[in-house]
Amino acid sequence: MCAELHWAVEMFGDKFFNELRRKTYTTPKSFLDMVELYIVMLSEKRGELKTQRDRLSVGVTKLVETNAIVESLQTELTALAPVLKQKGEEAEIMIANVTKEGDAAQIVKVKVEADELRVGKQAAEVKIVADDAQADLDIALPALHKALGALDKLEKSDITEIKQFNNPPEMVAVVMEAICLLLKSGKTWKDAKQLLGQMDFMDQLKTYDKDNIDPKIIKKLKKYINDERFTPENLAKISKAAVTLCMWVRAMDTYDRVAKTVGPKKAKVEAMNAELKIVQDNLKKKQDQLAEVIAKVDGLKRTLEDTLAEKKRLEDEVELTGNRLQRAEKLTVGLADEQVRWATSVETLGDQIEKLVGDIFISAACISYYGPFTGTYRTQMVLQWVEGCTLRKIPITQGSSMEHTLGDPMQIRQWQIDGLPKDEVSTNNAIMVTRGKRWPLMIDPQEQAKKWIKTTEAKNQLGKSEKAMQE
């Protein structure tokens, strides 16, 4: 078809020359330009029309979806109405229950708080007695802890040092007599050495039952305690181990003396604690009962809160759904006619895309070939080309023209405002100027083209060549 069109242009050129004596030239370059233009413009126009069709198709799809949404929202509103009514009734029942249970819990709470005050006062009294007993113990405990700490620091060599005495210093012998008395191991130096030789000697001292010392032993121990020489300071010059053992003996005496005072107080504290425990156990039961009641009330409150929240959510959902339904109905009603028009346009654009093969072919041929011809010859050429495409079953629009295929009505209107004549030939000339691949040569005796170009391209700061203007 391209080749036939090329030869047909040459025949029209001969006819043009014979009738009007105006020569035209058809070159292989014209043929190549047409092919190139056809490929480029077909791709551009196809993309442009597909974009328009897709945009309208999306619009139609959205309107169809909106109509479906409207139906869904209406169904949803109908379904929500009875649910919302039920939640309202449940909330009223829950409010009455919570109020009733809350009043009952408050009564129990007042009683328990009164019992807590009484038990707290009783516990404070027990603490006073216990603190008094502990204060007495605090007198003896430091000396005891000091003596036990000293025992921990004794080395085996320190004990061996005492054992090696065959005739011990007097005060060392006195210390060991006191140790033997407390441990019930005789009172001679031989007994003392045997005691020192026992593997668990130190453990016997550390684990000594200081709370149950025989009063007879304590009475006998006073002889050593009252001896002014029986002090750690006097023994420090003689033996390190004797100092520690002396401290331990004196600590046992002090602890026993204090324990006799503390004992009755401790017994009183135990009795008071036993009585306090009974009261506290009763209080604990009441507190547990109160906790159960409060937990029940809290559970009812949470259920009420959940019910009210669900009711509020349903109310909001009904309101939101209603607003959405109202807006959707406005949209669908307002665009009902547009939906029909868009659907029709989608079909029309699909047909145009299919026929672009022939329409762009005609437009590319017009740009490449019929520039030198007058309007009458151009019309004849286009009619012949369209007929040729039809005969060869090339998809094409009947009455196809370059203005119809490539022209933009808004742009053409602006061209005419800028000074382009309104006739068909001028419009086609403008399209060839803007879409052609070559520099256009315009024969413009009335300077219409000059005025149009200057006005249209003013925004692009069009310049001019003085040399070209002079020529």
Side-chain angles (χ1 to χ4, degrees):
M1 185 62 195
C2 293
E4 290 184 10
L5 185 145
H6 184 79
W7 292 114
V9 172
E10 289 187 349
M11 288 189 294
F12 271 100
D14 294 340
K15 180 180 178 182
F16 190 58
F17 178 75
N18 292 332
E19 293 178 358
L20 299 180
R21 311 307 297 176
R22 291 168 63 176
K23 188 67 176 175
T24 61
Y25 299 93
T26 303
T27 67
K29 177 63 175 171
S30 301
F31 180 85
L32 296 174
D33 284 346
M34 183 193 70
V35 175
E36 182 181 358
L37 273 172
Y38 175 74
I39 295 172
V40 173
M41 291 193 302
L42 178 62
S43 176
E44 291 178 355
K45 195 65 177 178
R46 184 172 285 165
E48 177 186 337
L49 293 182
K50 283 185 176 180
T51 300
Q52 293 178 14
R53 183 191 62 182
D54 293 345
R55 184 166 59 247
L56 291 174
S57 179
V58 169
V60 173
T61 302
K62 291 298 181 183
L63 286 176
V64 172
E65 292 176 353
T66 302
N67 288 328
I69 291 174
V70 169
E71 295 180 2
S72 174
L73 291 177
Q74 290 173 340
T75 304
E76 186 176 344
L77 277 177
T78 303
L80 284 176
V83 177
L84 182 60
K85 181 180 178 181
Q86 180 184 353
K87 289 296 180 182
E89 295 173 353
E90 291 178 358
E92 292 178 359
I93 296 173
M94 290 298 299
I95 290 173
N97 289 339
V98 170
T99 302
K100 179 181 177 181
E101 295 295 337
D103 293 343
Q106 187 62 32
I107 295 173
V108 176
K109 183 179 180 181
V110 171
K111 293 180 179 180
V112 171
E113 288 177 348
D115 290 341
E116 288 175 346
L117 289 175
R118 287 194 296 271
V119 172
K121 182 178 180 181
Q122 188 173 347
E125 293 174 355
V126 173
K127 186 175 184 303
I128 292 173
V129 177
D131 290 344
D132 183 41
Q134 186 63 40
D136 292 338
L137 282 175
D138 289 342
I139 298 173
L141 289 178
L144 176 63
H145 292 156
K146 185 176 181 181
L148 293 176
L151 287 175
D152 290 333
K153 295 179 181 179
L154 279 182
E155 300 290 341
K156 185 176 180 180
S157 57
D158 297 328
I159 301 299
T160 303
E161 176 187 350
I162 297 179
K163 287 171 59 179
Q164 290 177 349
F165 288 129
N166 291 322
N167 187 17
E170 180 183 0
M171 290 311 298
V172 172
V174 171
V175 169
M176 289 309 302
E177 285 180 15
I179 293 293
C180 290
L181 175 64
L182 287 168
L183 296 181
K184 300 177 182 180
S185 298
K187 57 185 296 185
T188 64
W189 179 245
K190 181 179 179 181
D191 296 332
K193 290 181 69 174
Q194 289 178 351
L195 181 61
L196 290 171
Q198 294 178 8
M199 296 297 294
D200 62 344
F201 171 66
M202 298 299 294
D203 292 334
Q204 291 182 47
L205 299 181
K206 293 177 182 179
T207 60
Y208 189 73
D209 186 8
K210 57 186 177 295
D211 294 312
N212 297 295
I213 302 177
D214 190 340
K216 295 179 180 180
I217 293 177
I218 292 297
K219 184 177 180 180
K220 294 178 181 180
L221 190 64
K222 291 297 182 183
K223 178 182 69 171
Y224 304 101
I225 299 300
N226 294 333
D227 190 340
E228 295 180 354
R229 298 173 299 167
F230 193 78
T231 62
E233 292 76 10
N234 289 333
L235 290 167
K237 300 177 182 179
I238 303 173
S239 170
K240 175 182 177 182
V243 171
T244 301
L245 296 175
C246 176
M247 291 171 60
W248 182 82
V249 171
R250 299 187 71 88
M252 293 300 104
D253 176 70
T254 303
Y255 185 86
D256 181 77
R257 185 174 64 255
V258 173
K260 288 179 180 178
T261 304
V262 173
K265 294 181 180 179
K266 290 175 68 176
K268 183 178 180 181
V269 170
E270 290 176 359
M272 294 177 70
N273 277 331
E275 183 181 351
L276 178 62
K277 186 177 184 305
I278 295 173
V279 177
Q280 287 176 333
D281 290 342
N282 291 332
L283 176 61
K284 181 66 169 54
K285 292 179 181 178
K286 294 180 180 179
Q287 288 174 333
D288 292 341
Q289 294 174 356
L290 176 61
E292 291 178 1
V293 174
I294 293 176
K296 181 178 179 181
V297 173
D298 290 342
L300 291 173
K301 287 181 178 179
R302 285 193 295 271
T303 304
L304 175 60
E305 290 173 356
D306 293 341
T307 303
L308 292 175
E310 179 65 13
K311 180 184 176 185
K312 180 66 169 56
R313 185 189 68 80
L314 290 173
E315 290 174 347
D316 293 343
E317 187 174 348
V318 169
E319 182 180 2
L320 177 62
T321 303
N323 292 336
R324 290 176 61 192
L325 179 60
Q326 185 178 5
R327 290 193 295 269
E329 287 177 341
K330 287 182 179 179
L331 179 63
T332 53
V333 172
L335 295 179
D337 294 337
E338 288 297 313
Q339 181 178 357
V340 176
R341 187 178 68 82
W342 291 350
T344 303
S345 297
V346 168
E347 295 179 2
T348 301
L349 287 171
D351 183 63
Q352 289 179 3
I353 292 171
E354 182 181 354
K355 294 178 178 180
L356 277 179
V357 175
D359 292 344
I360 294 296
F361 175 72
I362 297 301
S363 297
C366 290
I367 294 174
S368 299
Y369 289 111
Y370 83 10
F373 295 92
T374 60
T376 302
Y377 285 88
R378 292 180 179 181
T379 302
Q380 294 175 5
M381 294 168 69
V382 171
L383 289 174
Q384 182 177 330
W385 297 340
V386 171
E387 184 179 356
C389 289
T390 304
L391 291 174
R392 288 165 180 77
K393 301 187 181 303
I394 298 174
I396 191 169
T397 303
Q398 291 302 316
S400 177
S401 66
M402 181 169 60
E403 180 179 351
H404 175 268
T405 304
L406 299 181
D408 180 358
M410 296 298 295
Q411 187 180 47
I412 293 173
R413 178 59 180 162
Q414 185 60 47
W415 286 345
Q416 293 171 353
I417 293 173
D418 292 342
L420 183 72
K422 297 182 180 181
D423 59 277
E424 181 181 355
V425 173
S426 298
T427 300
N428 288 333
N429 288 341
I431 293 175
M432 286 190 290
V433 167
T434 55
R435 300 303 299 265
K437 297 297 182 181
R438 299 187 188 184
W439 292 104
L441 174 61
M442 290 175 282
I443 301 173
D444 188 28
Q446 297 178 355
E447 297 190 347
Q448 292 175 328
K450 177 182 176 181
K451 177 185 177 183
W452 167 64
I453 291 174
K454 289 178 65 176
T455 305
T456 300
E457 298 297 331
K459 61 181 179 296
N460 297 324
Q461 299 180 346
L462 176 69
K464 65 181 179 178
S465 169
E466 294 295 337
K467 183 178 180 180
M469 294 300 292
Q470 291 173 2
E471 295 177 354

Tab-separated table of all heavy atoms in Angstrom, residues 139-173:
chain	number	residue	atom	x	y	z
A	139	ILE	N	21.832	-5.741	122.912
A	139	ILE	CA	22.943	-5.525	123.840
A	139	ILE	C	23.907	-6.707	123.798
A	139	ILE	O	25.125	-6.557	123.823
A	139	ILE	CB	22.406	-5.326	125.279
A	139	ILE	CG1	21.519	-4.072	125.331
A	139	ILE	CG2	23.549	-5.230	126.279
A	139	ILE	CD1	20.821	-3.896	126.676
A	140	ALA	N	23.328	-7.927	123.751
A	140	ALA	CA	24.149	-9.129	123.808
A	140	ALA	C	24.648	-9.566	122.431
A	140	ALA	O	25.749	-10.130	122.314
A	140	ALA	CB	23.351	-10.264	124.437
A	141	LEU	N	23.891	-9.354	121.415
A	141	LEU	CA	24.238	-9.874	120.090
A	141	LEU	C	25.550	-9.330	119.532
A	141	LEU	O	26.323	-10.091	118.935
A	141	LEU	CB	23.086	-9.605	119.111
A	141	LEU	CG	21.822	-10.454	119.353
A	141	LEU	CD1	20.731	-10.060	118.364
A	141	LEU	CD2	22.144	-11.943	119.234
A	142	PRO	N	25.862	-8.016	119.687
A	142	PRO	CA	27.151	-7.548	119.149
A	142	PRO	C	28.342	-8.294	119.738
A	142	PRO	O	29.270	-8.661	119.019
A	142	PRO	CB	27.163	-6.064	119.519
A	142	PRO	CG	25.714	-5.690	119.607
A	142	PRO	CD	25.039	-6.896	120.173
A	143	ALA	N	28.312	-8.525	121.087
A	143	ALA	CA	29.421	-9.256	121.708
A	143	ALA	C	29.474	-10.690	121.192
A	143	ALA	O	30.557	-11.248	120.936
A	143	ALA	CB	29.259	-9.237	123.231
A	144	LEU	N	28.294	-11.307	121.005
A	144	LEU	CA	28.237	-12.667	120.483
A	144	LEU	C	28.801	-12.724	119.075
A	144	LEU	O	29.615	-13.591	118.742
A	144	LEU	CB	26.786	-13.167	120.517
A	144	LEU	CG	26.538	-14.544	119.907
A	144	LEU	CD1	27.293	-15.619	120.691
A	144	LEU	CD2	25.038	-14.851	119.885
A	145	HIS	N	28.351	-11.799	118.223
A	145	HIS	CA	28.817	-11.785	116.826
A	145	HIS	C	30.314	-11.523	116.756
A	145	HIS	O	31.014	-12.109	115.927
A	145	HIS	CB	28.061	-10.710	116.037
A	145	HIS	CG	26.605	-11.029	115.865
A	145	HIS	ND1	25.651	-10.063	115.643
A	145	HIS	CD2	25.932	-12.226	115.929
A	145	HIS	CE1	24.468	-10.633	115.540
A	145	HIS	NE2	24.617	-11.951	115.725
A	146	LYS	N	30.784	-10.654	117.669
A	146	LYS	CA	32.211	-10.370	117.690
A	146	LYS	C	33.003	-11.613	118.075
A	146	LYS	O	34.055	-11.922	117.484
A	146	LYS	CB	32.493	-9.232	118.658
A	146	LYS	CG	33.942	-8.773	118.653
A	146	LYS	CD	34.127	-7.568	119.581
A	146	LYS	CE	35.584	-7.105	119.559
A	146	LYS	NZ	35.785	-5.948	120.471
A	147	ALA	N	32.497	-12.353	119.073
A	147	ALA	CA	33.188	-13.567	119.516
A	147	ALA	C	33.185	-14.620	118.426
A	147	ALA	O	34.202	-15.278	118.168
A	147	ALA	CB	32.519	-14.111	120.782
A	148	LEU	N	32.017	-14.808	117.747
A	148	LEU	CA	31.936	-15.790	116.658
A	148	LEU	C	32.829	-15.390	115.494
A	148	LEU	O	33.433	-16.242	114.838
A	148	LEU	CB	30.478	-15.927	116.190
A	148	LEU	CG	29.515	-16.545	117.214
A	148	LEU	CD1	28.089	-16.538	116.678
A	148	LEU	CD2	29.935	-17.963	117.580
A	149	GLY	N	32.906	-14.074	115.234
A	149	GLY	CA	33.800	-13.610	114.173
A	149	GLY	C	35.244	-13.896	114.502
A	149	GLY	O	36.045	-14.267	113.626
A	150	ALA	N	35.596	-13.738	115.779
A	150	ALA	CA	36.969	-14.045	116.194
A	150	ALA	C	37.259	-15.533	116.054
A	150	ALA	O	38.374	-15.933	115.695
A	150	ALA	CB	37.182	-13.582	117.632
A	151	LEU	N	36.251	-16.374	116.371
A	151	LEU	CA	36.438	-17.816	116.201
A	151	LEU	C	36.739	-18.165	114.749
A	151	LEU	O	37.562	-19.042	114.452
A	151	LEU	CB	35.180	-18.571	116.658
A	151	LEU	CG	34.926	-18.634	118.179
A	151	LEU	CD1	33.591	-19.303	118.452
A	151	LEU	CD2	36.064	-19.389	118.883
A	152	ASP	N	36.062	-17.494	113.828
A	152	ASP	CA	36.287	-17.762	112.393
A	152	ASP	C	37.718	-17.422	111.980
A	152	ASP	O	38.257	-18.009	111.039
A	152	ASP	CB	35.295	-16.961	111.546
A	152	ASP	CG	33.874	-17.487	111.694
A	152	ASP	OD1	33.740	-18.683	111.990
A	152	ASP	OD2	32.922	-16.696	111.514
A	153	LYS	N	38.311	-16.474	112.686
A	153	LYS	CA	39.665	-16.047	112.319
A	153	LYS	C	40.759	-16.906	112.955
A	153	LYS	O	41.937	-16.762	112.618
A	153	LYS	CB	39.870	-14.588	112.719
A	153	LYS	CG	38.964	-13.629	111.948
A	153	LYS	CD	39.182	-12.192	112.397
A	153	LYS	CE	38.262	-11.234	111.655
A	153	LYS	NZ	38.452	-9.827	112.095
A	154	LEU	N	40.385	-17.759	113.908
A	154	LEU	CA	41.392	-18.602	114.556
A	154	LEU	C	41.949	-19.617	113.571
A	154	LEU	O	41.207	-20.233	112.789
A	154	LEU	CB	40.782	-19.332	115.745
A	154	LEU	CG	40.662	-18.551	117.066
A	154	LEU	CD1	40.080	-19.455	118.136
A	154	LEU	CD2	42.018	-18.001	117.496
A	155	GLU	N	43.249	-19.788	113.592
A	155	GLU	CA	43.914	-20.789	112.775
A	155	GLU	C	44.150	-22.060	113.606
A	155	GLU	O	44.116	-22.043	114.837
A	155	GLU	CB	45.257	-20.249	112.271
A	155	GLU	CG	45.153	-18.990	111.429
A	155	GLU	CD	44.524	-19.252	110.087
A	155	GLU	OE1	44.490	-20.424	109.663
A	155	GLU	OE2	44.035	-18.284	109.459
A	156	LYS	N	44.386	-23.148	112.918
A	156	LYS	CA	44.667	-24.410	113.594
A	156	LYS	C	45.928	-24.281	114.452
A	156	LYS	O	46.029	-24.866	115.543
A	156	LYS	CB	44.841	-25.510	112.559
A	156	LYS	CG	45.009	-26.897	113.160
A	156	LYS	CD	45.087	-27.945	112.064
A	156	LYS	CE	45.245	-29.338	112.668
A	156	LYS	NZ	45.320	-30.384	111.638
A	157	SER	N	46.846	-23.469	113.958
A	157	SER	CA	48.110	-23.281	114.694
A	157	SER	C	47.880	-22.585	116.019
A	157	SER	O	48.608	-22.825	117.007
A	157	SER	CB	49.098	-22.478	113.850
A	157	SER	OG	48.527	-21.221	113.487
A	158	ASP	N	46.840	-21.718	116.087
A	158	ASP	CA	46.553	-21.010	117.334
A	158	ASP	C	46.074	-21.994	118.400
A	158	ASP	O	46.453	-21.893	119.581
A	158	ASP	CB	45.491	-19.931	117.099
A	158	ASP	CG	45.966	-18.864	116.127
A	158	ASP	OD1	47.184	-18.589	116.107
A	158	ASP	OD2	45.120	-18.304	115.380
A	159	ILE	N	45.225	-22.954	117.970
A	159	ILE	CA	44.751	-23.973	118.914
A	159	ILE	C	45.904	-24.896	119.317
A	159	ILE	O	46.061	-25.283	120.494
A	159	ILE	CB	43.609	-24.783	118.284
A	159	ILE	CG1	42.440	-23.852	117.897
A	159	ILE	CG2	43.122	-25.863	119.228
A	159	ILE	CD1	41.842	-23.117	119.056
A	160	THR	N	46.731	-25.238	118.346
A	160	THR	CA	47.876	-26.119	118.618
A	160	THR	C	48.819	-25.474	119.639
A	160	THR	O	49.427	-26.154	120.484
A	160	THR	CB	48.629	-26.412	117.315
A	160	THR	OG1	47.713	-26.995	116.386
A	160	THR	CG2	49.784	-27.376	117.561
A	161	GLU	N	48.909	-24.133	119.543
A	161	GLU	CA	49.793	-23.398	120.472
A	161	GLU	C	49.386	-23.651	121.921
A	161	GLU	O	50.230	-23.877	122.799
A	161	GLU	CB	49.717	-21.903	120.152
A	161	GLU	CG	50.529	-21.043	121.110
A	161	GLU	CD	50.296	-19.561	120.878
A	161	GLU	OE1	49.649	-19.197	119.861
A	161	GLU	OE2	50.746	-18.763	121.706
A	162	ILE	N	48.056	-23.639	122.176
A	162	ILE	CA	47.584	-23.859	123.543
A	162	ILE	C	47.802	-25.311	123.952
A	162	ILE	O	48.194	-25.627	125.089
A	162	ILE	CB	46.103	-23.475	123.662
A	162	ILE	CG1	45.935	-21.980	123.370
A	162	ILE	CG2	45.550	-23.800	125.046
A	162	ILE	CD1	44.499	-21.498	123.425
A	163	LYS	N	47.568	-26.237	123.010
A	163	LYS	CA	47.709	-27.665	123.322
A	163	LYS	C	49.153	-28.007	123.721
A	163	LYS	O	49.391	-28.957	124.465
A	163	LYS	CB	47.298	-28.511	122.107
A	163	LYS	CG	45.788	-28.537	121.855
A	163	LYS	CD	45.450	-29.194	120.512
A	163	LYS	CE	45.985	-30.619	120.502
A	163	LYS	NZ	45.641	-31.285	119.208
A	164	GLN	N	50.102	-27.258	123.199
A	164	GLN	CA	51.508	-27.590	123.450
A	164	GLN	C	51.960	-27.229	124.861
A	164	GLN	O	53.033	-27.631	125.297
A	164	GLN	CB	52.392	-26.872	122.415
A	164	GLN	CG	52.238	-27.447	121.010
A	164	GLN	CD	53.069	-26.678	119.996
A	164	GLN	OE1	53.590	-25.608	120.314
A	164	GLN	NE2	53.185	-27.237	118.803
A	165	PHE	N	51.130	-26.427	125.558
A	165	PHE	CA	51.503	-26.069	126.933
A	165	PHE	C	51.359	-27.296	127.838
A	165	PHE	O	50.255	-27.839	127.977
A	165	PHE	CB	50.609	-24.946	127.483
A	165	PHE	CG	50.880	-23.599	126.861
A	165	PHE	CD1	49.831	-22.842	126.330
A	165	PHE	CD2	52.159	-23.076	126.822
A	165	PHE	CE1	50.065	-21.620	125.783
A	165	PHE	CE2	52.384	-21.834	126.266
A	165	PHE	CZ	51.354	-21.100	125.733
A	166	ASN	N	52.481	-27.726	128.450
A	166	ASN	CA	52.391	-28.774	129.475
A	166	ASN	C	52.035	-28.160	130.818
A	166	ASN	O	51.313	-28.755	131.612
A	166	ASN	CB	53.715	-29.537	129.579
A	166	ASN	CG	53.962	-30.384	128.330
A	166	ASN	OD1	53.018	-30.957	127.793
A	166	ASN	ND2	55.201	-30.460	127.887
A	167	ASN	N	52.553	-26.982	131.031
A	167	ASN	CA	52.262	-26.222	132.249
A	167	ASN	C	51.803	-24.855	131.786
A	167	ASN	O	52.589	-23.913	131.702
A	167	ASN	CB	53.510	-26.121	133.131
A	167	ASN	CG	53.203	-25.487	134.486
A	167	ASN	OD1	52.030	-25.420	134.889
A	167	ASN	ND2	54.237	-25.030	135.162
A	168	PRO	N	50.511	-24.697	131.456
A	168	PRO	CA	50.034	-23.472	130.821
A	168	PRO	C	50.083	-22.293	131.766
A	168	PRO	O	50.037	-22.465	132.996
A	168	PRO	CB	48.597	-23.822	130.441
A	168	PRO	CG	48.185	-24.824	131.453
A	168	PRO	CD	49.408	-25.639	131.749
A	169	PRO	N	50.133	-21.071	131.209
A	169	PRO	CA	50.014	-19.873	132.046
A	169	PRO	C	48.693	-19.922	132.810
A	169	PRO	O	47.708	-20.528	132.359
A	169	PRO	CB	50.037	-18.740	131.025
A	169	PRO	CG	50.769	-19.292	129.841
A	169	PRO	CD	50.413	-20.736	129.803
A	170	GLU	N	48.686	-19.252	133.928
A	170	GLU	CA	47.527	-19.350	134.826
A	170	GLU	C	46.239	-18.947	134.138
A	170	GLU	O	45.239	-19.657	134.196
A	170	GLU	CB	47.766	-18.463	136.066
A	170	GLU	CG	46.586	-18.521	137.048
A	170	GLU	CD	46.798	-17.577	138.229
A	170	GLU	OE1	47.843	-16.904	138.268
A	170	GLU	OE2	45.897	-17.534	139.083
A	171	MET	N	46.250	-17.809	133.425
A	171	MET	CA	45.009	-17.302	132.841
A	171	MET	C	44.564	-18.155	131.655
A	171	MET	O	43.357	-18.265	131.382
A	171	MET	CB	45.163	-15.835	132.412
A	171	MET	CG	45.283	-14.871	133.588
A	171	MET	SD	44.000	-15.124	134.846
A	171	MET	CE	42.536	-14.770	133.900
A	172	VAL	N	45.518	-18.796	130.951
A	172	VAL	CA	45.127	-19.713	129.875
A	172	VAL	C	44.397	-20.905	130.473
A	172	VAL	O	43.389	-21.378	129.945
A	172	VAL	CB	46.367	-20.169	129.068
A	172	VAL	CG1	45.979	-21.273	128.083
A	172	VAL	CG2	46.996	-18.995	128.330
A	173	ALA	N	44.910	-21.385	131.586
A	173	ALA	CA	44.251	-22.503	132.261
A	173	ALA	C	42.864	-22.103	132.738
A	173	ALA	O	41.897	-22.886	132.651
A	173	ALA	CB	45.106	-22.974	133.441
